[in-house]
Amino acid sequence: MIHFDPALEISPYHVFRQLTDGEVPLLVDVRPEPGNRSLVGAIAYPGPDWSPPQNQEVVLFDDDGAIAVEGARHMQAAGWMNVKALFGGLDLWEFALDPAVVGVETFLRRDVPTSGTIDR
């Protein structure tokens, strides 16, 4: 059974939307051995003495989300509530957002008229 905990995790769709809208969270790769895939702009985990910035959302990620969830749980317990794990890790990110799988990214954007009315 897959369980998404919104207090601890963040959806890859939400992060994708943030990135395309210019609201860039700090992306931190927590894999012990980073591979040849990553997220653009991500930094490697600086180590156990690192303190995340208070004024920016921090998203931890790894291959499948397991290490990131434990890291986010530990950091939130220490008071860093702005730290979350990327749900499903890079595996779900690549599958859910791969244009070859899901089509063009525009399916994630919904334009709302500024006039306050919605045309159907």
Side-chain angles (χ1 to χ4, degrees):
M1 176 189 237
I2 297 174
H3 178 71
F4 175 76
D5 181 353
L8 193 60
E9 298 171 295
I10 188 166
S11 158
Y13 299 108
H14 185 84
V15 174
F16 179 82
R17 213 43 299 132
Q18 287 178 307
L19 294 173
T20 58
D21 288 345
E23 303 167 19
V24 182
L26 177 59
L27 303 169
V28 182
D29 187 341
V30 295
R31 296 176 292 173
E33 297 290 326
N36 60 352
R37 61 186 185 152
S38 190
L39 297 175
V40 175
I43 64 167
Y45 176 61
D49 295 330
W50 177 66
S51 295
Q54 286 281 9
N55 60 347
Q56 185 178 17
E57 183 174 27
V58 177
V59 177
L60 308 179
F61 69 90
D62 60 8
D63 290 322
D64 64 5
I67 297 169
V69 166
E70 288 307 311
R73 183 175 286 121
H74 176 74
M75 295 184 100
Q76 285 187 9
W80 304 101
M81 301 312 289
N82 61 325
V83 177
K84 292 190 176 184
L86 180 65
F87 179 70
L90 290 174
D91 293 342
L92 183 57
W93 174 274
E94 289 177 348
F95 176 77
L97 299 170
D98 182 349
V101 176
V102 296
V104 181
E105 71 87 13
T106 56
F107 79 97
L108 294 171
R109 180 180 293 284
R110 180 180 358 166
D111 291 319
V112 178
T114 56
S115 66
T117 60
I118 298 175
D119 297 327
R120 298 203 188 254

